[in-house]
Amino acid sequence: MKLLVGLGNPGAKYAQNRHNIGFMAMDRIAADHGFSGWRSKFQGQTCDGRFGPEKVTLLKPETFMNLSGQSVGEAMRYLKLAPEDVIVFHDEIDLAPGKVRLKTGGGHAGHNGLRSIHGHIGPDYDRVRMGVGHPGHKDAVPGYVLRDFPKADAEWLDDELRGVSDGIAELIAGDGGKFLNAIALRVAPPRSSKSAPKPKAVAPAPEPAPDTRSAMQKLVDKFR
């Protein structure tokens, strides 16, 4: 069994914030794969589904970002899971918008949601780092992640979320490479292999035959 956790803040005020991209990923997965309806549990919203033989629970903590670990820890204990059964989806300012990377264990890099989870279950869980870009200065980060995605980001954001949903079964099965490839196919689809037809080669004009007439014959021909 796997517990997939999307990080964010509850309420309409935060729904389109960069900080809520984890919530957005959970909503897309649930909608695309026929998961049960969302219900209140584990200090958050949860729903259940399956990918092949693997049972999966999705969780959106409603404790606010800084206390996410309370919800994750409660769910993990109730479901009798180990940290390696948990995959957390979160915003990542150190990645460009549209970029997604996987990580297992390690530090929280100052992310308050991850910091809280570390405190409740330790660092040995998997993360899906979803790039939202950096505002340029660390003092601007709190305001940046708590602002909505601009309209200009709508297209790549939708492609990325669809890609996450396309590849989620591969991630659950342990194939991170195929998961990331599914996202890449949405965000940066390959160009068509059908190239424009090459123009047909034009055969060179034949060289004229050498003129073997005598000077007198050329003069006669000129005045005919």
Side-chain angles (χ1 to χ4, degrees):
M1 182 177 181
K2 292 290 185 183
L3 174 65
L4 273 55
V5 181
L7 297 188
N9 288 308
K13 175 182 177 181
Y14 303 101
Q16 298 304 313
N17 284 184
R18 293 180 177 93
H19 228 15
N20 273 44
I21 196 169
F23 275 18
M24 297 175 192
M26 296 301 100
D27 287 336
R28 172 56 65 184
I29 292 168
D32 287 352
H33 297 284
F35 274 53
S36 64
W38 292 97
R39 65 190 186 280
S40 295
K41 199 173 183 180
F42 310 131
Q43 302 179 62
Q45 292 290 314
T46 73
C47 64
D48 300 308
R50 302 189 79 90
F51 290 102
E54 195 85 51
K55 184 178 179 182
V56 175
T57 292
L58 307 183
L59 171 65
K60 297 187 293 183
E62 292 190 308
T63 52
F64 285 92
M65 183 68 78
N66 294 4
L67 300 176
S68 298
Q70 293 181 5
S71 174
V72 176
E74 182 179 332
M76 198 181 85
R77 290 188 296 273
Y78 181 87
L79 297 170
K80 297 180 172 58
L81 302 177
E84 55 265 30
D85 300 317
V86 178
I87 306 174
V88 176
F89 294 68
H90 66 91
D91 58 305
E92 176 57 75
I93 59 172
D94 291 328
L95 288 176
K99 297 292 183 182
V100 177
R101 295 291 182 269
L102 300 177
K103 182 178 180 181
T104 299
H108 52 68
H111 190 290
N112 288 332
L114 299 184
R115 189 197 308 273
S116 177
I117 294 172
H118 272 49
H120 284 265
I121 73 170
D124 300 323
Y125 55 92
D126 293 332
R127 305 98 185 262
V128 178
R129 305 164 62 216
M130 305 180 72
V132 296
H134 198 287
H137 194 282
K138 65 178 183 180
D139 292 342
V141 168
Y144 176 77
V145 296
L146 291 175
R147 284 198 294 270
D148 288 357
F149 282 103
K151 289 183 179 179
D153 287 353
E155 185 172 351
W156 72 255
L157 178 60
D158 185 63
D159 286 342
E160 181 178 302
L161 295 172
R162 290 179 184 277
V164 165
S165 179
D166 290 346
I168 193 61
E170 304 291 355
L171 183 63
I172 296 300
D175 196 328
K178 287 185 178 180
F179 169 70
L180 293 176
N181 188 57
I183 299 171
L185 289 174
R186 286 280 190 177
V187 177
R191 295 180 180 178
S192 173
S193 60
K194 295 180 180 179
S195 55
K198 295 181 179 179
K200 293 182 179 179
V202 178
E207 295 185 6
D211 193 344
T212 57
R213 295 172 299 165
S214 65
M216 180 59 73
Q217 186 62 50
K218 291 178 182 179
L219 185 61
V220 172
D221 290 344
K222 181 178 181 181
F223 292 100
R224 277 185 177 177

